[in-house]
Structures are given as structure tokens and as C-alpha cells.
Amino acid sequence: MNNKHLGAWYIVASAAGFATLGILIKSAFAGGANISTVLAGRFLLAGIFLYGILRARGVNCGLDRRTALQLILMGAVGYGGMSGLYANAIHYLPASLTGMLLYTYPALVTVLALVVGDERFNAPKGIALVVCSVGLVLLLGASFEGARLAGVLSVLGAAVIYSCYIIIGNRILKNIDPMVTSLWVCTAAGLAFLCYGAARGELILELTPRGWLSIAGIAVFPTLFGVMGFFAGLRLIGATNASIISMLEPLITVLLSVILLGERITPLQGFGGAVLLFGGLILQLWGHEARHETVTEV
């Protein structure tokens, strides 16, 4: 399997991991947790798991000071900021609209990658981006009716931060083990949410077993698998392609909801899912030719 196909499968695996997040967060809330507790537990547990795996493999987790600082900022400010804004947006907007607005980030990543000169653009990438965006709208069926400005600004802010996070990651991760990268990013994000929750008195430690198991599940599936898979794929196929393929996440979320929660999918949603897959196929078959093979390091 060549790098472009391997990288694409890493991103698909990442999307599948991230797709479990909404279901597991609802379960954690039912177990007595709040958003600060969930996010702090998610990233800190993931960091502990990663550290144990890396130590068992005999991998050196240390980095030079500059790279370590970059990854700490990516975790605390980038991923932490995006997660916090996204969680805030959910309080003001329907989940479908929040998801649709967050997924403006592939277009932002495409523009930023062109501006900073990391990647070239070609027609298949543009077509795949448009096709996937149309499929996403059909799949989520989002409406702006009753949308509140605070929620819209929060989720668009999350999209901007996440786009910058991906571009920065694409520049500094070429020679770093994805597991080491994930360790630093997750630990930094976890400590940021721990400090934030403690300062506001929002951390809840008396959870039901369901609450703790749900947080552990969040640490494993959307965090370990999601974050590591994305970093691994990002190194191989670049920021633009990784972002577009990640648009499969809402489709996988819908399918999991059907399988695990017994929810129904409408014919329009099914058509939207098929359009999303078609966009991913276009990208995979024709969208790689113009990508630079080397990634500029900061």
C-alpha cells in the first residue's frame, strides 16, 4: 500500500474515532459529568495511556525545547481552544448546524495551505471539497432558523483555530512519531482544562461507573485513535487532503447512531452520505498529484 492510500486510511480511522465523541459525551453527561470534567479527563487519561505505551516500547518522549513549546501551544491553545469553543456553541445551536459550521475548516485549511505555500491546488481537490460540502449539508440537514449569534461565532472561531492547528501541525510533524506528538498535545490540553475547571470550581469527581467508563472511552476512541490517526495521516497526505477526508466523520456518526442508538436515517441523509463518499473517492483517485512531497519545517 503506497503512502497516499495508507495516509487516507489513517484519516478514515481517525474520523471513525472522532465520530464516537458525541455518543460518548452524552453517556458521560448521563453519568453525572460536565464539560470541564469530560475534557480534562479525556485528554489527561489519553496522555497517561500514551505515556505507558511509549515507555513499554522504549520510545524517548523527550523533544527539543522549540518543538516541545510548539506542541504545548498546539494542545493548550489549539486543540483546547477549539474544543472549548465547540462545546460552547452546542449550548446555543442545534448539533447539526454546529457540525456543519465546524466543517467549514477544510475550505479554510485549503486556503491557508495555499497562502503559506505548503501545498499546490488542483481541480480534483476543489471538486472534492465542493462535493463533500454539498453531501455534508444534505446529511446533516442543518437549518439556521433560531440560530444565536454567540453560537455561530463560537463554532466559526473553533473552525478557524482548528484550521491553524492543522496547518501548523503539517509543518512540524514530519519527523516526529505521531504517538509522541499526541502525548504532548493531549497532556497540554488536559492540563489546560484541569486548571480551567479547578479555577472555576467545575470539576466533578463523584461520577457513576457509567460516567467514568464513558470518559475512559472518550480518551481511547476519539482521542487516542482520533488524534494519532489524524497526525499519522497528515504526515503522509498533507493538510488539505486530510481535512477533506475528515468530512466523513459526520457520516460515520450518523451510521453509529443508527446501529447503536436505533436512530433512523432519511433518504435525503442517505443520498448526502453517498455524495460525501463520492467526494472522497474523487480526492483519492485524482487529488494527490499536485501535492509537494516535502513539508517545510518551522
Side-chain angles (χ1 to χ4, degrees):
M1 186 181 294
N2 61 33
N3 280 350
K4 78 171 186 179
H5 295 311
L6 181 61
W9 280 115
Y10 277 138
I11 300 300
V12 171
S14 168
F18 283 128
T20 66
L21 182 59
I23 295 171
L24 289 171
I25 282 180
K26 287 183 179 180
S27 180
F29 286 165
N34 60 12
I35 193 66
S36 293
T37 304
V38 167
L39 292 177
R42 169 191 181 183
F43 291 114
L44 288 176
L45 280 177
I48 292 170
F49 292 155
L50 282 165
Y51 183 74
I53 294 170
L54 288 168
R55 290 288 293 178
R57 288 174 53 196
V59 176
N60 180 15
C61 301
L63 297 170
D64 63 88
R65 184 177 300 178
R66 184 183 183 191
T67 303
L69 179 60
Q70 289 171 329
L71 292 180
I72 289 170
L73 290 174
M74 281 180 65
V77 179
Y79 212 89
M82 186 277 287
S83 299
L85 285 172
Y86 182 76
N88 184 62
I90 290 176
H91 289 296
Y92 297 102
L93 301 175
S96 59
L97 180 57
T98 306
M100 190 180 75
L101 291 175
L102 178 66
Y103 276 87
T104 57
Y105 82 79
L108 294 174
V109 167
T110 301
V111 173
L112 287 172
L114 290 172
V115 170
V116 301
D118 281 356
E119 298 184 23
R120 297 176 188 147
F121 188 74
N122 60 17
K125 284 184 181 181
I127 294 170
L129 181 61
V130 172
V131 170
C132 287
S133 297
V134 171
L136 183 68
V137 173
L138 294 174
L139 178 69
L140 296 178
S143 168
F144 280 87
E145 183 178 353
R148 295 179 62 178
L149 181 61
V152 172
L153 292 177
S154 287
V155 71
L156 289 179
V160 170
I161 291 175
Y162 196 44
S163 301
C164 295
Y165 166 91
I166 291 171
I167 292 295
I168 293 170
N170 189 43
R171 290 188 140 213
I172 69 175
L173 302 181
K174 185 172 178 61
N175 299 312
I176 306 175
D177 185 328
M179 292 187 70
V180 174
T181 301
S182 301
L183 169 64
W184 282 82
V185 168
C186 289
T187 303
L191 290 174
F193 282 114
L194 179 67
C195 293
Y196 175 81
R200 293 178 61 88
E202 294 179 355
L203 294 179
I204 300 173
L205 300 180
E206 296 181 1
L207 305 179
T208 65
R210 176 181 180 178
W212 285 116
L213 285 173
S214 298
I215 291 176
I218 293 170
V220 172
F221 295 106
T223 311
L224 285 182
F225 292 168
V227 174
M228 280 195 307
F230 189 83
F231 283 148
L234 184 65
R235 298 198 315 169
L236 297 176
I237 62 174
T240 300
N241 290 345
S243 299
I244 295 173
I245 295 173
S246 290
M247 295 174 81
L248 292 174
E249 178 192 333
L251 172 60
I252 299 172
T253 300
V254 170
L255 293 176
L256 287 175
S257 298
V258 171
I259 295 169
L260 299 178
L261 303 179
E263 296 184 3
R264 293 185 166 223
I265 184 170
T266 67
L268 187 61
Q269 286 179 305
F271 179 68
V275 171
L276 259 174
L277 290 174
F278 180 63
L281 182 62
I282 292 173
L283 183 69
Q284 193 59 21
L285 292 177
W286 299 292
H288 295 267
E289 294 83 358
R291 181 176 178 259
H292 289 306
E293 291 303 321
T294 57
V295 180
T296 306
E297 295 186 40
V298 295

